[in-house]
Amino acid sequence: MKLILNIIWLVLAGFWMAIAYAIAAVIMFILIITIPFGIQALKIGVFALWPFGRTVIKRDDAGAPSFIGNLLWLILAGWWLALGHLITGILLAITIIGIPLALANFKLIPISLWPFGREIVPTSVAHQLGEPLVTMPGDPSSPRQLEP
């Protein structure tokens, strides 16, 4: 199921958002001082390309440098990448098939705005760590809600 969701995601949203993250990474690499931002853009771009089966967890060791990095990221690239996720999500929400993918796009907005201090891991690893998950809707590896 993850494979099918990832393929549909790749065609409808992932490829285009991965290109946007790649453009952001190239701009950050050209500016030299922002190379760490370019590396972060590539990490999120790969996650945006093939998200189902992976999740984002907060790192415990993130502190003031991550906060400062997030502020600079927001100014340099975060706002327009988040806008890309918003527009893509709205376009996907027009169709019934695209609604779960639209929700996944909306869940990527906070990550695209504040990427530092977070780590992308397989969903199984996050389960083992007992971390709160930011999973994609319809992801078969996400925890199931039990009925009372």
Side-chain angles (χ1 to χ4, degrees), residues 3-14 50 52 97 101:
L3 179 65
I4 294 169
L5 285 171
N6 276 320
I7 290 171
I8 294 170
W9 172 268
L10 178 70
V11 173
L12 296 178
W50 203 259
F52 295 98
I97 293 173
L101 302 176

Side-chain angles (χ1 to χ4, degrees), residues 33 114 133:
I33 196 167
W114 299 97
L133 302 177

Side-chain angles (χ1 to χ4, degrees), residues 28 37 67-82 109-110 112-116:
M28 298 301 159
F37 296 97
F67 179 75
I68 294 167
N70 281 328
L71 285 177
L72 292 172
W73 171 267
L74 180 65
I75 294 167
L76 296 173
W79 67 271
W80 62 271
L81 290 168
I109 291 174
S112 67
L113 288 172
W114 299 97
F116 291 98

Side-chain angles (χ1 to χ4, degrees), residues 17-18 20-22 24-26 28-29 34-48 56-57 59 62 66 69-70 73-74 77-78 81 110-120:
M17 288 310 302
Y21 281 102
V26 168
M28 298 301 159
F29 289 144
T34 55
I35 287 176
F37 296 97
I39 294 169
Q40 197 68 13
L42 290 177
K43 287 180 186 178
I44 301 170
V46 170
F47 181 57
V56 177
I57 60 172
R59 290 182 20 212
S66 291
N70 281 328
W73 171 267
L74 180 65
L81 290 168
I111 299 162
S112 67
L113 288 172
W114 299 97
F116 291 98
R118 297 174 190 221
E119 188 174 349
I120 300 165

Side-chain angles (χ1 to χ4, degrees), residues 2 4 11 15-16 20 27 39 62 92 114 129 141 147:
K2 285 188 289 189
I4 294 169
V11 173
F15 180 72
W16 312 110
I27 292 169
I39 294 169
L92 285 170
W114 299 97
L129 296 173
S141 59
E147 295 293 325

